[in-house]
């Protein structure tokens, strides 16, 4: 394995941890979560209220949403299903969903403090920022994408002329709408309040800020490319 591939694998591993831990941390708080974390929670609650055969966890809801994004990506890219490539993506989606549920299981066991309001606000904001950082690392690692990250990449390219700030804002706004609609169907909208609106507003500019300050990673990847060209 080349140094460049090892470096990208490290980025990919951090991205996997950040997106799993960040989603779980945002869901764990009850003061208002990021729009898509709220969507996961409302969808899981609604599906559980409509049936009693299986328990739909936030990780399961995450998998369900990402499967929808997977289909949308195929339609936008006009790609047919590739068993080898796409099966690995879907398996990875399931793994991340299980990691989210794992962290949600672990937090109460380690007694992660949740009795201070401002601390819960911090969990929600910090978890959302980790999700944004994970997106940027996934793009740079370019090994495989979660369908949600691939979806953002696609709409950024196809509809927003490369403007990730606008694409992520619209994406999160849609997540908020889905969270509200699914909650209403289930009879109770949860995990949405003014914190959710704040996160909707600040996610795009902060993601853009982080993107502009990850140039050291870009420079490192470019140095690997130049080394390979010389050799």
């Amino acid at each position: 394995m080349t140094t460049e591939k090892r470096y990208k694998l490290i980025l990919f591993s951090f991205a996997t941890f950040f997106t799993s831990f960040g989603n779980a941390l945002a869901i764990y708080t009850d003061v208002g979560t990021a729009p898509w974390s709220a969507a996961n929670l409302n969808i899981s609650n609604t599906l559980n209220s409509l049936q009693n055969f299986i328990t739909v966890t936030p990780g399961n809801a995450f998998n369900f949403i990402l499967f929808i994004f997977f289909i949308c990506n195929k339609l936008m890219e006009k790609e047919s299903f590739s068993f080898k490539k796409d099966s690995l993506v879907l398996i990875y989606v399931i793994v991340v969903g299980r990691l989210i549920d794992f962290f949600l299981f672990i937090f109460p066991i380690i007694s992660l403090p949740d009795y201070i309001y401002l601390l819960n606000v911090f969990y929600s904001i910090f978890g959302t920022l980790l999700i944004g950082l994970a997106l940027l690392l996934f793009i740079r690692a370019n090994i495989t994408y979660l369908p949600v990250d691939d979806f953002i990449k696609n709409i950024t390219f196809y509809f927003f002329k490369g403007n990730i700030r606008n694409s992520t804002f619209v994406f999160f706004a849609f997540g908020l709408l889905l969270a509200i609609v699914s909650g209403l169907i289930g009879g109770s909208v949860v995990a949405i309040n003014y914190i959710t609106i704040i996160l909707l507003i600040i996610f795009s500019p902060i993601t853009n800020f982080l993107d502009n300050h990850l140039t050291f990673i870009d420079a490192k990847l470019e140095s690997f490319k130049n080394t390979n060209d010389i050799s």
Side-chain angles (χ1 to χ4, degrees), residues 205-225:
I206 288 183
T207 301
N208 190 60
F209 173 83
L210 291 174
D211 190 35
N212 292 333
H213 286 77
L214 291 178
T215 52
F216 68 96
I217 295 178
D218 300 327
K220 192 74 173 177
L221 292 171
E222 186 64 26
S223 70
F224 290 136
K225 181 180 178 181

Side-chain angles (χ1 to χ4, degrees), residues 24-175:
L25 199 60
I27 291 172
Y28 181 71
T29 176
D30 60 356
V31 299
T33 71
W36 280 102
S37 298
N40 289 344
L41 200 54
N42 278 284
I43 288 173
S44 64
N45 287 349
T46 296
L47 292 177
N48 285 326
S49 69
L50 296 176
Q51 55 83 40
N52 57 6
F53 300 104
I54 59 172
T55 299
V56 180
T57 65
N60 295 144
F62 178 85
N63 292 155
F64 174 75
I65 291 174
L66 263 60
F67 179 75
I68 300 300
F69 284 137
F70 174 81
I71 299 298
C72 291
N73 290 332
K74 286 296 181 184
L75 294 175
M76 279 191 287
E77 296 171 350
K78 298 179 180 178
E79 285 186 357
S80 57
F81 183 83
S82 169
F83 181 80
K84 181 178 180 180
K85 174 187 173 183
D86 294 331
S87 294
L88 290 175
V89 171
L90 294 176
I91 290 172
Y92 180 62
V93 165
I94 294 173
V95 169
V96 174
R98 300 289 69 74
L99 284 173
I100 292 173
D101 287 337
F102 169 76
F103 284 122
L104 289 172
F105 173 75
I106 287 296
F107 288 159
I109 293 178
I110 64 175
S111 299
L112 185 68
D114 61 351
Y115 48 85
I116 302 174
Y117 179 77
L118 289 179
L119 193 57
N120 283 322
V121 172
F122 169 77
Y123 291 156
S124 188
I125 295 176
F126 183 63
T128 303
L129 296 183
L130 287 180
I131 296 170
L133 179 58
L135 166 63
L136 299 174
L137 293 180
F138 276 127
I139 292 173
R140 285 164 170 80
N142 197 27
I143 293 177
T144 188
Y145 292 100
L146 284 171
V148 61
D149 299 323
D150 209 13
F151 182 79
I152 293 175
K153 178 174 69 71
N154 285 330
I155 64 172
T156 301
F157 175 77
Y158 288 113
F159 301 107
F160 294 95
K161 299 180 180 179
N163 191 320
I164 193 170
R165 180 171 181 169
N166 290 343
S167 64
T168 51
F169 178 81
V170 171
F171 174 73
F172 265 60
F174 179 71

